[in-house]
Amino acid sequence: MIAHLINTDVGRRGVLRVYLDYRRDNPNFLNNSAKMLLDNYERVLIITGFPIPPSMRAETDGPPGALAVAKAIEALGGKAEILTYPEVRTALEPFGLRFVEEPELSGYSLVIAIETPGRAPNGKYYSMGGLEITRETFDWAVLEAGELGIPTIGIGDGGNEAGMGKIYDLVRRYVPRGEVIASTVETDELILSAVSNWGAYGLVAEASIESGRKLLPDWDERTIVRIISKLGLIDGVSGQNTATVDGISTGIHDRIVELLNALVDEALR
């Protein structure tokens, strides 16, 4: 049910067809990701931030999801550190998170990439619209973690994010401009969602059910998005500095969170 909910294609970006094929072959992708988190939460590197051409400023999708996962890790007794862009760091600083600029990958128990660019076959990085991203990227940390045998989880919604290389063929088949933008960077587990924040919230919800405790008891989506927007992040679809995510009104995001909370409460009763 949670997997279905977080893949509600409100923005009509074509993710539904990708999801249906992906779920057919990987029906437990959300459960497996939650188990990986619960088994490896001691010290987690969370990577987030997606620059939007032409401004190359990071968007509002990703950072709230990183915040939710980081707070869940802390609730479990683990430590979360975030690798991101300067403007994302500024936007998230009010929430008391830990940041890192040059992480030593061997020191982490898990790496989670939430809405961050993954390189295409030609080694470049692209937006959903097929525009090239000409800024530093962090998918190298995912690749290095894989080489070191550190578990990795990817969360994405468009096919051009780190982790989506796991479904490279599906992205090329179903996503507009997929043959150009498709990420080749794989993760051990992949959470597909219609909005990457929802994928992160879904991971926390599923981990809550699996662990038998609510890992994110209080979550004010509207306030969080308003704060990070005020501090400089932009909507990834419109490119504007508005308190929205992926062109979808805050009210929709609020209701997704409410439904996830209701599902967790029902499962834990």
Side-chain angles (χ1 to χ4, degrees):
M1 179 63 182
I2 291 175
H4 289 333
L5 176 60
I6 63 176
N7 279 281
T8 304
D9 195 6
V10 177
R12 298 181 181 180
R13 302 174 75 184
V15 71
L16 183 59
R17 290 179 298 176
V18 180
Y19 166 65
L20 291 175
D21 273 16
Y22 177 52
R23 185 182 173 89
R24 187 175 298 115
D25 294 331
N26 302 274
N28 298 315
F29 72 86
L30 192 56
N31 309 70
N32 293 341
S33 297
K35 186 177 186 302
M36 179 173 283
L37 172 60
L38 292 172
D39 287 345
N40 299 281
Y41 62 78
E42 291 83 6
R43 187 184 180 202
V44 183
L45 178 65
I46 301 173
I47 307 165
T48 196
F50 202 108
I52 302 299
S55 71
M56 297 303 160
R57 193 157 191 84
E59 63 169 309
T60 51
D61 191 22
L67 172 61
V69 173
K71 292 300 183 183
I73 289 165
E74 291 174 0
L76 288 165
K79 180 180 180 181
E81 298 175 348
I82 297 179
L83 174 63
T84 190
Y85 297 101
E87 69 270 25
V88 176
R89 180 170 182 161
T90 297
L92 291 178
E93 276 181 347
F95 303 101
L97 301 177
R98 298 182 180 92
F99 299 91
V100 61
E101 293 183 1
E102 297 181 1
E104 175 54 56
L105 270 295
S106 61
Y108 292 94
S109 54
L110 176 65
V111 172
I112 304 176
I114 305 173
E115 186 69 18
T116 197
R119 66 196 64 177
N122 65 0
K124 296 181 180 181
Y125 301 82
Y126 296 97
S127 70
M128 284 290 289
L131 299 177
E132 186 178 352
I133 295 168
T134 56
R135 193 178 178 186
E136 175 190 15
T137 51
F138 304 115
D139 59 341
W140 61 266
V142 175
L143 295 171
E144 185 174 328
E147 292 172 358
L148 293 170
I150 298 167
T152 54
I153 298 172
I155 300 177
D157 59 20
N160 53 347
E161 304 94 351
M164 292 294 232
K166 194 174 182 70
I167 54 169
Y168 176 78
D169 290 337
L170 293 181
V171 173
R172 286 177 58 89
R173 184 182 311 156
Y174 292 125
V175 175
R177 291 173 288 273
E179 69 281 358
V180 174
I181 70 170
S183 168
T184 61
V185 179
E186 298 186 36
T187 47
D188 295 315
E189 296 294 342
L190 172 67
I191 298 176
L192 182 64
S193 53
V195 176
S196 291
N197 286 340
W198 299 356
Y201 303 159
L203 172 61
V204 174
E206 188 64 34
S208 296
I209 293 171
E210 296 286 339
S211 67
R213 54 181 294 201
K214 198 166 184 180
L215 297 174
L216 203 64
D218 298 306
W219 187 261
D220 187 343
E221 176 78 3
R222 186 178 298 270
T223 297
I224 291 166
V225 174
R226 185 170 64 245
I227 289 172
I228 65 173
S229 174
K230 184 178 180 179
L231 291 175
L233 302 191
I234 64 175
D235 185 294
V237 171
S238 70
Q240 301 300 308
N241 183 222
T242 56
T244 54
V245 179
D246 281 356
I248 302 169
S249 68
T250 308
I252 297 295
H253 297 285
D254 282 340
R255 286 166 177 78
I256 292 290
V257 172
E258 288 173 6
L259 282 170
L260 286 171
N261 275 322
L263 291 171
V264 172
D265 290 341
E266 183 69 18
L268 296 181
R269 280 202 312 174

